[in-house]
Amino acid sequence: MEKDPEKTAYNSESDRTEEGQPASLQMDDDHDDGKTPGPTSPTPTPPPPAAAPVRDVIPDGGLTAWLQVVGSAAILVNTWGVINTFGVFQAYYETDLLRAHSSSDISWIGSTQASLLFLVGVVAGPLYDMGYFRHLLLAGLFLIVLGQFTTSLCTTYWQVMLAQGVGMGVGMGLTFLPSAAILGQYFSRHRALALGLSSVGSPVAGTVFPILFSRVLPRAGFGWATRAIAFILLGVSAVPIAFMRTRVPPTSKRVLLDRTAAGDVPYLLFVAGGLFAFLVLYVPFFYIPLFATSHEVASHAFAPYLVTLLNVGSIFGRIVPNALADRWGSMNMMIVCVVGSAVLVFGWLGIHDLGGAVVYVLLYGAFSGGVVSLTPSVLVGLSPDMGRLGARMGLAFVVSGIAILVGTPIAGAILGTEEDPQWLGTILFTAFGLLVATVFYSASRLLLYTRSGNLMA
């Protein structure tokens, strides 16, 4: 039995076309059946379906991604690598160029440099979020290289402070945070490993630069020993300039200060832990050569090499904990590293010979290196989205920067004069600072677990 076209119900004109026949032909069929077609009103064209939002896929590898790691490692050479070398400058300044000044006065130069690396992050972070990565990179690298060359010409305390402390510190602050934040755009599953590999540039430079400085100094003097490092920094700067590019467009929202951080208790506890950790973490880097010579553990010629060995140990501390963090969690590995650092600082009291000093600096370099390299990875995990990562990292870095600024001078003030150093007070100050940091990090870890139920998050 044929279907009567008059009995067929259609919801709309588009339903007719789905039957496989154009609407115009169906109207002709109606007319041929002897029916007078009634007035028809045009059916509005339905809007096109909304395009599904495209989910950003983080590459987690590939040539471009790994080139960012190489560029970030080069920036770590120019930033933390130089800071880790300050122990040999401290020793030289105390015995020659700035011998009229106390250990505490001289340590302010290095602590100013390191603190500005963090403090300038409060400006560099939001600027990075806004898309000014290349501007920060070029300006920062220029100031670092200029400051190192200018340091070679300095003869007074204020000149060294201005060139090596302030000038280079500002340059480091403009480049360090962006060099860590950009890796979050290219890596997710292997983020901690990428950050760890990039941070290897710091201990490698901290190993090479003290040896270079110590070898060139007696032959060519302070000026050329410092300029030799400056030429290396200039050459290394070409790597990030050539290869580093952001992948994600800048956020349209200009976030100078992430107000949501004030209610994020795990984040605040982690920042508080960073305050105490970085208050004391670099005390051994600054004072272990002086300890070795004052206790006749090492000669004046060999003592600077203890800083080199600290950085050799730090190479392993930058890679191994970060590789494990991708599986066991960055916060968990951070707690392990800070506890290990605290235990080793207590062991500082038991160093009585060169062999003990060498073992100590290698182990402390490894655990303290893990604390430094894991910090950006933890902050990325604590950030709710990449658009606010720079602002959150900047706030955390400001707190850590203030700690570094005052930490080593406080240790120097506790230590007192070179003729009558109070090593017990300095060592206990360092150890208990790390223990307090452990408490805050553990509290942050506990709150994260109660939120997610995942001990590895």
Side-chain angles (χ1 to χ4, degrees):
M1 182 176 179
E2 285 189 16
K3 185 187 290 185
D4 185 357
E6 292 295 316
K7 303 294 184 182
T8 305
Y10 294 95
N11 293 327
S12 66
E13 197 69 22
S14 61
D15 292 334
R16 291 176 180 258
T17 60
E18 291 177 6
E19 291 290 324
Q21 190 176 16
S24 59
L25 293 179
Q26 290 186 6
M27 290 176 65
D28 289 342
D29 290 344
D30 290 345
H31 183 71
D32 290 343
D33 286 342
K35 305 285 185 181
T36 302
T40 59
S41 59
T43 304
T45 304
V54 179
R55 183 175 178 271
D56 179 47
V57 179
I58 297 176
D60 231 349
L63 178 61
T64 303
W66 288 111
L67 284 176
Q68 308 311 305
V69 176
V70 174
S72 182
I75 291 176
L76 266 292
V77 169
N78 287 22
T79 53
W80 280 112
V82 175
I83 291 172
N84 288 350
T85 308
F86 188 76
V88 295
F89 283 93
Q90 170 102 13
Y92 173 76
Y93 292 155
E94 287 188 25
T95 57
D96 196 307
L97 185 65
L98 304 176
R99 57 183 175 272
H101 297 268
S102 67
S103 297
S104 182
D105 290 340
I106 294 170
S107 69
W108 276 102
I109 300 170
S111 66
T112 298
Q113 187 184 73
S115 66
L116 285 172
L117 179 145
F118 281 118
L119 290 172
V120 177
V122 75
V123 176
L127 289 176
Y128 165 82
D129 289 337
M130 296 176 190
Y132 293 101
F133 174 76
R134 296 287 295 176
H135 303 77
L136 293 168
L137 190 67
L138 294 171
L141 292 173
F142 172 77
L143 286 174
I144 292 170
V145 174
L146 178 64
Q148 186 71 18
F149 274 114
T150 307
T151 301
S152 69
L153 305 174
C154 295
T155 57
T156 62
Y157 180 85
W158 72 266
Q159 291 173 343
V160 177
M161 172 62 81
L162 185 61
Q164 191 173 21
V166 177
M168 295 184 70
V170 171
M172 292 172 182
L174 293 176
T175 55
F176 173 63
L177 187 152
S179 75
I182 194 175
L183 298 185
Q185 297 186 8
Y186 288 89
F187 293 91
S188 176
R189 190 161 55 93
H190 301 301
R191 181 187 299 140
L193 177 60
L195 285 164
L197 291 174
S198 71
S199 68
V200 169
S202 166
V204 169
T207 301
V208 173
F209 288 165
I211 297 175
L212 176 65
F213 184 86
S214 300
R215 290 295 182 90
V216 177
L217 181 65
R219 296 174 180 158
F222 171 75
W224 277 108
T226 307
R227 281 191 286 273
I229 296 175
F231 279 114
I232 294 175
L233 298 180
L234 178 62
V236 169
S237 298
V239 177
I241 292 173
F243 296 126
M244 296 190 79
R245 299 290 187 278
T246 54
R247 186 185 64 86
V248 179
T251 178
S252 57
K253 187 177 180 181
R254 312 295 189 179
V255 180
L256 291 175
L257 183 63
D258 183 13
R259 292 184 175 85
T260 63
D264 192 340
V265 180
Y267 169 78
L268 294 176
L269 288 171
F270 181 79
V271 172
L275 170 66
F276 287 95
F278 285 97
L279 183 72
V280 298
L281 193 68
Y282 279 90
V283 172
F285 282 82
F286 279 47
Y287 293 107
I288 196 67
L290 184 60
F291 174 87
T293 54
S294 66
H295 284 71
E296 299 182 351
V297 168
S299 65
H300 285 276
F302 186 82
Y305 290 98
L306 292 175
V307 179
T308 298
L309 292 173
L310 271 167
N311 286 283
V312 170
S314 187
I315 294 174
F316 297 96
R318 306 301 176 107
I319 298 175
V320 176
N322 283 271
L324 295 174
D326 285 323
R327 178 178 177 86
W328 301 106
S330 296
M331 182 72 83
N332 296 333
M333 294 309 303
M334 170 68 84
I335 294 171
V336 170
C337 288
V338 75
V339 169
S341 299
V343 170
L344 284 165
V345 171
F346 280 112
W348 190 354
L349 292 167
I351 298 176
H352 299 295
D353 53 36
L354 181 59
V358 169
V359 171
Y360 170 79
V361 295
L362 287 172
L363 290 174
Y364 185 81
F367 281 94
S368 63
V371 175
V372 176
S373 62
L374 284 165
T375 296
S377 179
V378 176
L379 288 171
V380 172
L382 290 173
S383 181
D385 59 73
M386 292 297 104
R388 284 179 282 180
L389 174 59
R392 285 215 168 190
M393 290 182 75
L395 179 60
F397 282 6
V398 165
V399 175
S400 299
I402 294 172
I404 289 180
L405 176 65
V406 301
T408 50
I410 290 174
I414 296 172
L415 182 62
T417 63
E418 187 176 354
E419 292 75 20
D420 184 27
Q422 304 298 314
W423 288 106
L424 178 61
T426 301
I427 292 171
L428 291 179
F429 166 73
T430 306
F432 281 106
L434 291 169
L435 289 178
V436 174
T438 302
V439 173
F440 280 108
Y441 287 152
S442 299
S444 178
R445 168 70 274 179
L446 181 61
L447 283 181
L448 288 174
Y449 174 70
T450 57
R451 279 185 181 181
S452 64
N454 184 2
L455 195 59
M456 302 303 168

